[in-house]
Amino acid sequence: MGYELRVERPALLTFAELADVLGRAGFEYRGSQEAGEILARHGDGVHVVAAWNGTLSGAPGSDWQVAQLVRVSALLGAHLVGEDGESYTVRDGVVEQVNGSASYEFGRIDEILAAGPAVWRS
């Protein structure tokens, strides 16, 4: 697995709450209450955004997946945090990564979501 981002919040996230939020926001879920995948559609395809096993995390391979994870986090009233402690958020319509005083802008969330899950090149 690549670099992992995790959804964190002060209160425990229950599967019932997760399912309710995902359904209202147009995400799909595949699996059981104990473990599964959060999916998002783009065009004719369905793409994995995150994994659920009592906690919610993802290993994005595109800006689109980061934007979807940020979106899920916000809908859950949570924070999206990386392995090195950086956070991901949407500010003024722009997806950004913040680490201390440094920040990196991925781009406008609406444009990223419209562009779809183009995989990052190494």
Side-chain angles (χ1 to χ4, degrees):
M1 181 186 269
Y3 194 79
E4 186 174 89
L5 303 179
R6 65 192 176 284
V7 176
E8 295 183 347
R9 67 180 210 169
L12 179 66
L13 177 61
T14 67
F15 179 77
E17 183 180 9
L18 175 68
D20 178 57
V21 167
L22 294 176
R24 286 187 287 123
F27 288 94
E28 298 176 29
Y29 184 81
R30 177 175 52 208
S32 68
Q33 290 187 16
E34 291 77 31
E37 298 175 317
I38 286 73
L39 309 162
R41 289 192 172 277
H42 186 268
D44 293 333
V46 179
H47 307 273
V48 175
V49 172
W52 166 260
N53 62 2
T55 62
L56 196 55
S57 63
S62 69
D63 290 353
W64 182 85
Q65 287 174 309
V66 171
Q68 294 289 10
L69 282 165
V70 167
R71 198 170 146 242
V72 168
S73 297
L75 292 167
L76 293 168
H79 300 285
L80 184 62
V81 180
E83 291 176 7
D84 296 328
E86 75 281 10
S87 62
Y88 298 78
T89 189
V90 175
R91 186 173 53 89
D92 298 328
V94 175
V95 177
E96 68 178 4
Q97 174 194 61
V98 179
N99 194 354
S101 62
S103 67
Y104 168 78
E105 293 184 353
F106 285 85
R108 298 205 47 79
I109 191 165
D110 54 343
E111 294 171 359
I112 293 170
L113 294 174
V119 176
W120 290 322
R121 294 184 203 134
S122 16

